[in-house]
Amino acid sequence: MLEVLILILGGCYFKDESTTLDEAEEASHELYCERAQIKDGQTVLDVGCGQGGLLLHIAQKYKNCHVTGITNSNAQKNYIVMQAEKLQLSNVDVISADVTKFETEKTFDRIFVIEAIEHMKNIKLFLKKLSSWMEEDGLLFVDHICNKTFNYHFEALDEDDWYSGFILPKGCVTILSASALLYFQVKLIK
């Protein structure tokens, strides 16, 4: 039996206390697909695709979708490509690029930005770029760390702060407020 390890860097959805980690990961991917209204045959872009968990999930479940990931990590790209090959998926592409500098003429039916927008320093410019990559009836799905009320630049609590040492390096992210993206509602079609 072919064994493929797919790592998740995003969240999980625990339906109840007996849910295992694998089940919670699967439930999270299913919930993302449901909320983004993924349909077989669509083109999907996963910005900042991590280790490819969602990207590979979509490619496996929706065989006629073409799924593209963009990451600034060659190691992540190589890992995802290796997993796609093991799973014999021909509907996956991974681009190694800085998304803030990357340009493409391609458009997508769905764009996912999961726990990546926090790394963008100019949200307005980033969203404008994404809108140019969307089909006219496309949807953008954003999942981000947020504060109930305020935007703030993440800083370590102290030098022993585990979270900033291993998850979000000091000074690398801005935590948006829960309503922050409402301030960027502009006409997103070409």
Side-chain angles (χ1 to χ4, degrees):
M1 172 183 243
L2 178 67
E3 187 170 320
V4 177
L5 173 65
I6 298 176
L7 302 173
I8 186 167
L9 293 179
C12 289
Y13 175 55
F14 291 86
K15 294 180 181 181
D16 57 50
E17 59 189 41
S18 68
T19 302
T20 67
L21 185 58
D22 288 340
E23 292 167 341
E25 178 182 0
E26 176 79 13
S28 177
H29 291 156
E30 286 295 325
L31 191 57
Y32 285 148
C33 290
E34 177 187 322
R35 290 183 176 173
Q37 301 170 27
I38 298 293
K39 293 178 182 63
D40 209 12
Q42 293 177 325
T43 53
V44 178
L45 175 65
D46 186 354
V47 176
C49 54
Q51 300 293 333
L54 178 62
L55 182 150
L56 294 169
H57 173 84
I58 294 169
Q60 284 183 283
K61 183 172 181 178
Y62 303 94
K63 301 286 187 194
N64 295 311
C65 279
H66 189 87
V67 188
T68 302
I70 185 167
T71 176
N72 64 356
S73 167
N74 286 323
Q76 287 178 333
K77 175 186 177 179
N78 294 338
Y79 179 81
I80 297 166
V81 168
M82 182 180 68
Q83 296 306 315
E85 288 171 358
K86 284 181 182 178
L87 294 166
Q88 299 180 337
L89 297 171
S90 60
N91 58 340
V92 172
D93 285 318
V94 185
I95 300 163
S96 180
D98 177 343
V99 72
T100 63
K101 297 175 182 159
F102 179 73
E103 298 294 334
T104 186
E105 296 295 317
K106 289 183 181 178
T107 57
F108 300 89
D109 298 302
R110 299 293 182 267
I111 298 178
F112 285 93
V113 181
I114 299 177
E115 296 180 20
I117 201 165
E118 298 88 344
H119 299 278
M120 300 300 125
K121 297 305 175 198
N122 187 328
I123 304 296
K124 183 177 182 180
L125 190 61
F126 178 63
L127 292 174
K128 182 177 180 183
K129 179 179 281 237
L130 293 181
S131 72
S132 73
W133 298 346
M134 293 173 64
E135 288 289 342
E136 190 169 316
D137 61 346
L139 294 177
L140 173 64
F141 183 92
V142 179
D143 184 4
H144 63 94
I145 300 169
C146 67
N147 179 283
K148 182 178 178 182
T149 311
F150 303 105
N151 295 337
Y152 68 93
H153 194 65
F154 179 77
E155 294 292 337
L157 297 175
D158 58 41
E159 60 192 41
D160 296 324
D161 182 35
W162 180 89
Y163 202 75
S164 63
F166 294 96
I167 306 297
L168 300 174
K170 184 178 179 180
C172 79
V173 298
T174 300
I175 306 299
L176 300 175
S177 70
S179 62
L181 295 178
L182 296 175
Y183 294 96
F184 298 98
Q185 294 187 69
V186 293
K187 186 175 181 183
L188 292 178
I189 57 175
K190 298 170 201 154

